[in-house]
Amino acid sequence: MTETPQAGTPKIRIRGLRKAFGAKQVLDGIDLDVAAGTSMVVIGGSGSGKSVLLKCILGLVEPDSGTIEIDGQDLACLDQPARQALRAQIGMLFQNSALFDSLPVWENVAFGLLAQHQVSRAQARTRAAEMLGQVGLGPDVGGLYPAELSGGMQKRVGLARAIAGGGRILLFDEPTTGLDPIMGAIIDGLIADCVRRLGSTALAITHDMASAARIGDRAAMLFGGRLVWQGEAAQLLDSGNPMVDQFTHGRRDGPIQMELRG
Amino acid sequence: MNAIGALGRNVLSLLGSAGAMVLFGLSGVSHLLRPPFYGRLFLRSFIDFAYFSLPVVALTAIFSGMVIALQSYTGFSRYGATSAIANIVLISVVRELAPVLAGLMVAGRVGAAMAAELGTMRVTDQIDALRTLSTDPMKYLVAPRLLAGLLALPLLVLVADVLGVGGGFLIATAKLGFEPHTYITNTVAFLNTADVVLSVVKAAVFGIIVSLMGCYYGYNSRGGAQGVGAATTSAVVSASILILAFDYVLTELFFSR
């Protein structure tokens, strides 16, 4: 059973999250709150554990310890149906879109609705066309297969699929990776529009500073398995934190030393 | 000591893999018994398994029957026992060649495709995406393929039985001088229900093996394109070895008395 969240309870609340793969401690005590209706952007270098953080929230990776709460409910303490119901609120845009290439676009978009038997196939197709419209794609795109789409169009379809379930919580994994700057800006604009229009709570991970500024209300930086800074997204380029400054300005020298294997 | 240690590690690794495969298979089968069911996906897998494998299995069966007729004639004519050829072709094809060769052909065609498809889905996050859309990948991807393997290969093998015997008939009558009516009468007289049952049982087991290996290696593939390639190879090799091993076990079970 899901309970009504109390006022002031963060939509997503993470405490003491740890995850190691073998000897490598990827997440080492993450504490993070994402307030309802806001967008949080987590920045960090490649291999810093950003994707693992999202996968822990989605239940794709089991954390070693720590808690993840949605609407004040600890996912680990819920039975399977309740956990499933809470996670059904989450829409996810994967880094490479992860569209099902054996299915046409409309079925990709309406997959969640069909899987939960909420609608008939005819209704799902109509709903998919609506969702595609919200990300700037015509209904004719629904009949194409993912392999027939450009990278930017695949991202749009991925976004349509993410918001098709209602979009109460949206997670974005490197939403602009592999796109040219203009298309990246367009996708960011669509994400910001969707989040605002749907009143979603969003958590995005990226190492694209322009993207972070466009999507986020707040931002945090992940380094060494910990969040080393949190603040307003607008402060990212002038945070006063040497690690964030080195990262956002792309300086080679600074407190962050990249691990290079010789 | 190093050699013994390496041997021990390999044995443990092999046992671990075997256990993981069995658990994976049991999990897939358990999903066949619990809703929701994905009939559309089952149908797609079934058609891929049965219909699209028909040409390669049919050709294999026909040529095998033809070769058996030729070879047995060469051998048996020395002893004046050429009348046994219809029986030899029937037993060879129905008991062994049709199920084993169909299994091996399907392992190469369908098992490899399953491993490649699921492997690509794994490395492109499509399997993770299924989970985020409230869909259990075992139920959606694995269970329909297991059922398709279980049901499709017996049908294919029944067709292969007929075509293999037909291939033998073709050579026997067109090349070796057998009288068609007598050959068919001998074949029907030797036809035994137990042989056909064995053929179908073997096919069902081999069908499960092909699907299970394809799904297991594809589902657990890692490491990009190279990982998908390795998964595909492992699926075909493992399925082929298991088909031959289970062929012996089933033959022993049916005919050891």
Side-chain angles (χ1 to χ4, degrees):
Chain A
M1 241 183 64
T2 53
E3 295 165 12
T4 308
Q6 293 177 344
T9 304
K11 188 75 175 173
I12 303 171
R13 179 185 169 94
I14 298 171
R15 287 292 177 273
L17 192 68
R18 290 171 187 274
K19 179 67 190 173
F21 293 101
K24 184 167 173 58
Q25 190 72 40
V26 179
L27 300 178
D28 191 13
I30 299 288
D31 296 331
L32 180 71
D33 289 343
V34 185
T38 64
S39 292
M40 166 68 79
V41 177
V42 177
I43 62 170
S46 302
S48 61
K50 305 189 298 295
S51 294
V52 176
L53 174 62
L54 287 193
K55 286 183 175 180
C56 285
I57 296 171
L58 287 164
L60 300 174
V61 169
E62 199 68 34
D64 296 335
S65 62
T67 59
I68 299 170
E69 295 176 9
I70 291 178
D71 288 335
Q73 297 184 77
D74 185 351
L75 291 177
C77 297
L78 297 174
D79 58 16
Q80 185 64 23
R83 201 181 308 162
Q84 191 81 9
L86 267 184
R87 286 199 167 121
Q89 299 182 22
I90 303 175
M92 169 79 180
L93 174 58
F94 284 84
Q95 185 173 354
N96 56 11
S97 304
L99 301 178
F100 306 124
D101 41 30
S102 60
L103 300 178
V105 164
W106 78 265
E107 233 174 304
N108 267 280
V109 173
F111 192 95
L113 303 175
L114 289 167
Q116 293 169 51
H117 303 285
Q118 291 178 354
V119 292
S120 68
R121 287 180 71 80
Q123 289 170 322
R125 189 153 196 164
T126 308
R127 185 75 185 273
E130 288 170 18
M131 292 298 125
L132 288 171
Q134 290 190 26
V135 296
L137 294 173
D140 51 319
V141 174
L144 301 176
Y145 280 82
E148 300 173 87
L149 306 179
S150 68
M153 287 171 85
Q154 288 187 8
K155 288 279 186 187
R156 288 178 190 231
V157 174
L159 180 58
R161 183 173 72 180
I163 64 174
R168 277 173 291 239
I169 298 174
L170 294 173
L171 305 183
F172 303 103
D173 186 357
E174 309 272 11
T176 56
T177 295
L179 301 178
D180 65 68
I182 296 172
M183 185 52 72
I186 291 171
I187 294 295
D188 285 340
L190 284 170
I191 288 172
D193 279 351
C194 288
V195 169
R196 199 166 35 245
R197 189 159 22 85
L198 299 170
S200 308
T201 304
L203 176 58
I205 60 172
T206 184
H207 46 219
D208 178 346
M209 289 309 109
S211 178
R214 285 190 290 254
I215 296 174
D217 301 318
R218 290 183 58 77
M221 178 161 171
L222 185 59
F223 178 73
R226 292 172 173 275
L227 291 177
V228 293
W229 176 83
Q230 292 192 47
E232 298 299 316
Q235 295 176 329
L236 262 175
L237 293 174
D238 187 24
S239 66
N241 180 303
M243 286 187 180
V244 179
D245 285 348
Q246 183 191 354
F247 188 81
T248 55
H249 293 97
R251 295 191 196 108
R252 195 176 61 179
D253 300 319
I256 301 174
Q257 296 299 312
M258 288 294 181
E259 291 176 22
L260 298 174
R261 292 183 191 173
Chain B
M1 284 303 284
N2 279 345
I4 295 171
L7 181 69
R9 274 193 297 277
N10 285 333
V11 170
L12 286 176
S13 163
L14 191 69
L15 290 175
S17 297
M21 277 176 203
V22 171
L23 289 177
F24 184 87
L26 290 176
S27 168
V29 169
S30 78
H31 282 289
L32 284 173
L33 309 173
R34 291 175 284 149
F37 305 113
Y38 295 100
R40 191 180 292 264
L41 293 169
F42 161 72
L43 204 61
R44 189 188 296 167
S45 294
F46 184 85
I47 289 170
D48 193 33
F49 225 111
Y51 182 73
F52 290 112
S53 299
L54 195 53
V56 67
V57 169
L59 285 173
T60 308
I62 290 170
F63 286 124
S64 303
M66 290 164 76
V67 166
I68 288 295
L70 266 183
Q71 290 283 26
S72 51
Y73 182 80
T74 309
F76 283 39
S77 60
R78 292 179 199 164
Y79 309 103
T82 51
S83 61
I85 287 176
N87 189 15
I88 295 297
V89 169
L90 182 72
I91 286 181
S92 306
V93 167
V94 174
R95 285 189 185 180
E96 292 300 328
L97 291 176
V100 171
L101 292 180
L104 293 176
M105 289 295 127
V106 169
R109 211 193 77 79
V110 183
M114 279 183 192
E117 185 180 356
L118 267 61
T120 304
M121 290 185 75
R122 167 65 73 192
V123 301
T124 56
D125 292 332
Q126 290 179 51
I127 290 181
D128 284 348
L130 279 174
R131 285 196 189 282
T132 67
L133 294 163
S134 308
T135 302
D136 189 326
M138 288 297 290
K139 190 178 286 295
Y140 184 79
L141 296 173
V142 177
R145 285 170 168 83
L146 289 179
L147 188 61
L150 176 72
L151 299 180
L153 202 54
L155 283 180
L156 271 178
V157 166
L158 284 175
V159 174
D161 286 345
V162 174
L163 293 176
V165 171
F169 169 80
L170 204 67
I171 286 296
T173 54
K175 187 175 166 65
L176 305 176
F178 282 75
E179 205 277 313
H181 182 260
T182 310
Y183 190 93
I184 291 174
T185 307
N186 282 345
T187 301
V188 172
F190 285 127
L191 190 60
N192 190 337
T193 309
D195 292 340
V196 179
V197 169
L198 174 66
S199 193
V200 170
V201 168
K202 280 184 175 181
V205 173
F206 298 166
I208 283 277
I209 287 172
V210 169
S211 295
L212 182 59
M213 292 301 104
C215 291
Y216 175 79
Y217 282 104
Y219 193 88
N220 293 299
S221 75
R222 293 280 183 275
Q226 193 180 18
V228 175
T232 307
T233 305
S234 300
V236 176
V237 171
S238 306
S240 302
I241 292 171
L242 284 175
I243 283 171
L244 295 173
F246 272 84
D247 181 46
Y248 170 75
V249 171
L250 291 170
T251 306
E252 185 77 33
L253 280 176
F254 271 73
F255 295 106
S256 61
R257 283 155 294 167

